[in-house]
C-alpha cells in the first residue's frame, strides 16, 4: 500500500535546497526520486505531466526556481516562466496525478516596510521582479491546487553550499576582510531544518501559505561576523559595514523581511531553533568549503 513517503519526488535538485532535500530524503526514503532541470523542466507542462504519470510520486517538493534576484530583474520573462508558470504547471500536474505538493517560496514577496515579523496573511507587496514572480507563483499554485502547501522561507544556508556562508569564508580567506550590508534584516535558515519542517508539514492535513525560518534575526553584516566566529576566523579581519542601497545591484531587496513562524509552531507544536545554533551545528558536522563558482548576490 502506498503512503505519503512511498515515492517522494524533488524538483530542482541541481540547486542549493534541492540538493539538501535529496540528501535528507534519500537517507530516509530509499525510493526518493531527484530531478534536475535536465530531467524534469517545470516550464514544459506536458513532459512534466508525462514524467509524473510514469513515476507515480506520492509527494512532490518543488525546489526549482529562477532564484537569482538580479538575474530576474534583468530577465523578467524568465522569472515569470519559471517562478509563476512553472510553479503553476507543477501544482496542476500534482493535482492531476494525486500527489501531495509542497512549493517553496520567499520572504521577498514583502516590501520590508512592516517593521515586525510578517504573518502569512499580511498583504504582500514585492519590490523586485523576482518577488513579483514568486508571489504570482504562490497564487497560481493555490489556484491550481488548493490543497497544496506554499512554504515561505529566507536566507538559506547549509551543507550543500553555494551560499552566503561560503561567500563570507571565501572573502575572509582571500581578502582578509569581512563585509556585509546593515540595511537588510531577515532570518538565516538552515536547509536541513527547512527540509525537516517540510516533511513534518507534509504529513499534516493543512494547506495554503506557511512561513518557516530559523529563530532569530540579523542583518547581513552580523550574519557574516557570526560565520567568521563559527569558523574561528575572526582575528586580523578588516570589518566593512556596507549599505545595500550604495552597492548598485539592479534589484531591490526588502530592508526587513523577518517571517513570523506562529502558524508553523501552532500547526506542528515545534519551535524552530535559533539560526546561530544551526550554524554552529553546520561547522561541527559539515564545515563549509569554498564558495561555489555560481554564487550570486544573495536572495
Ligand atoms: N536561496 C535562498 O536564500 C532562498 C531564500 C528564500 C527562498 N528561496 C526559495 O527556495 C527555493 C530553492 O532556492 P535555491 O536557493 O535552492 O535556488 P537555486 O540554488 O538557484 O536552485 C534552483 C534550481 O532550480 C532549477 N531550475 C531552474 N529552472 C528550472 C526549470 N525550468 N525546471 C526545473 N528546474 C529548474 C535550477 O536548475 P539549474 O541548476 O539547471 O540552473 C536550480 O538547480 C526557491 O523556490 C527559492 O525561491 C531561496
Amino acid at each position: 500500500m502506498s503512503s505519503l513517503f512511498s515515492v517522494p519526488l524533488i524538483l530542482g535538485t541541481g540547486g542549493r535546497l534541492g540538493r539538501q532535500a535529496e540528501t535528507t530524503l534519500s537517507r530516509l526514503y530509499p525510493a526518493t526520486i531527484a530531478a534536475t532541470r535536465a530531467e524534469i523542466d517545470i516550464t514544459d507542462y506536458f513532459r512534466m505531466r508525462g514524467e509524473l504519470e510514469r513515476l507515480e510520486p506520492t509527494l512532490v517538493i518543488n525546489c526549482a526556481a529562477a532564484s537569482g534576484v538580479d538575474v530576474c530583474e534583468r530577465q523578467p520573462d524568465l522569472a515569470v516562466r519559471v517562478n509563476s508558470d512553472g510553479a503553476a504547471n507543477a501544482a496542476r500536474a500534482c493535482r492531476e496525478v494525486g500527489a501531495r505538493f509542497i512549493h517553496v517560496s520567499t520572504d521577498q514577496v514583502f516590501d520590508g516596510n512592516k517593521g515586525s515579523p510578517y504573518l502569512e496573511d499580511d498583504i504582500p507587496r514585492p519590490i523586485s521582479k523576482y518577488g513579483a514572480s514568486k508571489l504570482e507563483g504562490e497564487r497560481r499554485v493555490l489556484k491550481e491546487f488548493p490543497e497544496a502547501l506554499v512554504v515561505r522561507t529566507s536566507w538559506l544556508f547549509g551543507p550543500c553550499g553555494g551560499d552566503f556562508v561560503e561567500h563570507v569564508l571565501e572573502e575572509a580567506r582571500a581578502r582578509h576582510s569581512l563585509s556585509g550590508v546593515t540595511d537588510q534584516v531577515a532570518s538565516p535558515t538552515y536547509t536541513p531544518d527547512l527540509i525537516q519542517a517540510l516533511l513534518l508539514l507534509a504529513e499534516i492535513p493543512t494547506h495554503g501559505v506557511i512561513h518557516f525560518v530559523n529563530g532569530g534575526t540579523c542583518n547581513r553584516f552580523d550574519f557574516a561576523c557570526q560565520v567568521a566566529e563559527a569558523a574561528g576566523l575572526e582575528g586580523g579581519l578588516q570589518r566593512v559595514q556596507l549599505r545595500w542601497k550604495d552597492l548598485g545591484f539592479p534589484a531591490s531587496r526588502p530592508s526587513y523581511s523577518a517571517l513570523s513562524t506562529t502558524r508553523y509552531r501552532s500547526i506542528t507544536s515545534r519551535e524552530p531553533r535559533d539560526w546561530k545554533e544551526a550554524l554552529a551545528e553546520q561547522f561541527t558536522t559539515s564545515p563549509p568549503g569554498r564558495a561555489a563558482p555560481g554564487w550570486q548576490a544573495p536572495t
Side-chain angles (χ1 to χ4, degrees):
M1 197 180 82
S2 89
S3 73
L4 177 62
F5 298 113
S6 304
V7 188
L9 167 66
I10 307 148
L11 300 170
T13 53
R16 290 161 284 205
L17 184 61
R19 289 197 298 273
Q20 184 59 48
E22 178 181 0
T23 303
T24 303
L25 269 79
S26 53
R27 273 189 207 132
L28 295 169
Y29 311 111
T32 295
I33 302 166
T36 62
R37 180 194 347 203
E39 287 152 343
I40 298 183
D41 182 336
I42 62 170
T43 64
D44 185 341
Y45 168 74
F46 289 104
R47 286 194 63 184
M48 176 169 49
R49 162 82 199 248
E51 283 300 285
L52 264 55
E53 279 173 356
R54 184 177 70 79
L55 298 166
E56 299 183 351
T58 47
L59 166 69
V60 175
I61 299 178
N62 182 25
C63 302
S67 73
V69 181
D70 296 309
V71 174
C72 289
E73 202 68 19
R74 290 193 207 96
Q75 299 181 53
D77 293 351
L78 170 76
V80 169
R81 198 162 64 247
V82 179
N83 295 337
S84 312
D85 301 346
N89 288 341
R92 178 180 163 197
C94 286
R95 173 176 50 77
E96 289 170 349
V97 303
R100 178 89 161 118
F101 182 57
I102 302 183
H103 174 68
V104 181
S105 192
T106 175
D107 57 330
Q108 305 233 2
V109 298
F110 294 114
D111 63 11
N113 293 329
K114 184 180 174 191
S116 61
Y118 282 97
L119 300 164
E120 286 80 356
D121 51 11
D122 281 328
I123 296 172
R125 280 189 204 89
I127 55 174
S128 65
K129 300 279 196 292
Y130 167 74
S133 68
K134 292 291 292 184
L135 176 61
E136 180 64 12
E138 291 183 357
R139 289 177 172 158
R140 290 184 52 197
V141 161
L142 293 173
K143 193 166 173 210
E144 285 290 351
F145 193 0
E147 284 74 36
L149 271 177
V150 171
V151 180
R152 293 185 186 137
T153 188
S154 65
W155 291 13
L156 298 180
F157 70 96
C160 291
D163 54 19
F164 185 69
V165 171
E166 282 192 353
H167 168 70
V168 169
L169 295 177
E170 182 92 340
E171 187 190 7
R173 289 176 181 137
R175 298 204 291 279
H176 307 290
S177 73
L178 198 57
S179 67
V181 300
T182 54
D183 52 354
Q184 272 177 29
V185 171
S187 300
T189 300
Y190 190 48
T191 50
D193 290 1
L194 173 58
I195 298 301
Q196 290 297 346
L198 299 185
L199 296 180
L200 191 59
L201 289 167
E203 288 192 286
I204 297 171
T206 187
H207 59 272
V209 178
I210 299 186
H211 293 168
F212 179 85
V213 289
N214 278 119
T217 56
C218 62
N219 64 41
R220 286 273 182 195
F221 178 73
D222 293 337
F223 189 4
C225 292
Q226 193 68 33
V227 170
E229 187 184 321
L233 283 176
E234 282 182 292
L237 293 178
Q238 186 194 0
R239 288 166 190 259
V240 187
Q241 296 193 16
L242 304 166
R243 279 147 54 101
W244 181 263
K245 59 182 189 173
D246 298 333
L247 296 181
F249 282 97
S252 300
R253 268 70 163 175
S255 57
Y256 179 93
S257 56
L259 300 177
S260 164
T261 53
T262 304
R263 182 167 184 223
Y264 172 82
R265 286 183 279 125
S266 94
I267 290 174
T268 63
S269 304
R270 301 281 178 92
E271 183 79 31
R273 64 175 159 168
D274 193 272
W275 69 270
K276 291 180 187 171
E277 186 187 332
L279 182 69
E281 180 185 295
Q282 182 184 356
F283 275 87
T284 311
T285 57
S286 46
R290 299 174 70 81
W295 191 86
Q296 300 166 342
T299 53

